[in-house]
Each structure stands twice: as structure tokens, then as C-alpha cells.
Amino acid sequence: MPIPRRSAAEALSRTLRRHGAAPDAVSDVGVAWEAFAEFLAVEVEGVEEADGDGFIAEWGRWDWNDDLPALSFGRLLAVRDTGGDAAHRQPEYWKVELQLCFAEDPAWAELHDLGLQDTGFDHHAIGAPRTAALAETLRLIQSCPQLAAMWRATPVRSAVTLERAG
């Protein structure tokens, strides 16, 4: 059964808790990834188009998290705007994100030098295509020594958010 877009962050939080992880205190990145993958298998009401549901993994340092090294798993949703003239409506873009922040560590001190800061958005359909895309994303993450080291570390904090994107 599809979930409402407005409930997407809570759905991810519930999935994390089912996996034994508190949304604001994730202690195992692998468990967080498993919960995120499960969340990505749930349809969201009102997705506008075939490529209106995608995911991305991002990493880096951002001022909104005190410039701590971070790893983020996000789901971008293009949903119908129910107001205005239906012929001219544009989709609204929303991002559900699980952000994991880490303490400083020499293993990922050169995180900014990776050349990539994210995996790019993937819009494979829910089911076998998305499962395969998630496996490929995980292979990419684990192929980078800095990211693989973060994957094995314990985050110092985490948060689940739902925000308008663009």
C-alpha cells in the first residue's frame, strides 16, 4: 500500500526502528542502509512520472551539520501539485533524507578529494531493477576507501528529514 508523501520521513523512521536503529542515533551504517533499501521498496502516493522516484547517496562536509564528515541516503520524489490549473501544474520535488554524521578521523580526512560527492540520482523502478541499482550503489561506495571506512564507523549523530527540494 502506498504511503502519503507527507508521511515519508516517518515511514523511514519506522523502518529504521524496525531494524533496531533510532532515527536520531543510528549506530550501524549497514543497518541504516538495509532500512533505507526497505523504505525505497515502498510506493509513495502521487509520484508524478516514471522517473519521479529516485535515490542518491551523498558524502562530504556541509555547514548545516557543523562541517562534520557525513554520509547521506536520500530519496527524491516528484509528486503532483494538487492546486491550480491541472493542465499547467508542475510536480513538487521533495527529498526524504537520512544523514549520518561522523567524528573526525584520518581514514576519511581526504573525503573532499574523492572527485565524486555523490552517486547521482538513480530512478530505477521499485522491484528487481531498484534492488540491482542499490547493489551497484553499495559497490561504488565500498570501492572508495574513505567511504568504506565511514561505513564501518559509528556515526556521532543522525537525522531523518523531509524537505522541499527545488
Side-chain angles (χ1 to χ4, degrees):
M1 173 189 263
I3 59 170
R5 182 257 316 152
R6 295 189 194 291
S7 301
E10 181 52 37
L12 176 54
S13 294
R14 279 192 310 270
T15 305
L16 283 162
R17 285 191 285 277
R18 259 195 328 276
H19 283 259
D24 60 350
V26 170
S27 61
D28 185 311
V29 179
V31 167
W33 179 256
E34 289 172 12
F36 182 68
E38 183 179 315
F39 168 67
L40 288 176
V42 177
E43 289 185 43
V44 177
E45 287 178 358
V47 170
E48 182 67 20
E49 51 218 29
D51 63 350
D53 182 1
F55 71 91
I56 189 170
E58 301 172 279
W59 49 87
R61 297 171 181 269
W62 304 293
D63 59 352
W64 58 84
N65 66 16
D66 302 323
D67 288 317
L68 288 173
L71 182 59
S72 165
F73 307 139
R75 183 174 187 179
L76 187 69
L77 302 165
V79 295
R80 285 186 291 276
D81 177 1
T82 56
D85 180 5
H88 295 98
R89 73 170 184 231
Q90 295 293 313
E92 291 182 350
Y93 293 92
W94 292 86
K95 186 176 183 188
V96 182
E97 182 176 32
L98 170 60
Q99 191 171 99
L100 309 166
C101 296
F102 299 85
E104 298 293 341
D105 191 290
W108 51 79
E110 304 301 321
L111 189 61
H112 59 280
D113 291 339
L114 284 177
L116 293 174
Q117 293 302 301
D118 62 60
T119 59
F121 281 102
D122 187 287
H123 295 279
H124 280 88
I126 291 173
R130 182 162 288 180
T131 300
L134 281 162
E136 186 58 34
T137 297
L138 183 55
R139 277 191 290 280
L140 171 68
I141 290 169
Q142 292 181 336
S143 72
C144 299
Q146 298 93 329
L147 299 176
M150 289 176 96
W151 197 271
R152 293 185 304 271
T154 301
V156 294
R157 71 176 188 237
S158 60
V160 173
T161 59
L162 172 66
E163 296 180 345
R164 186 119 187 229

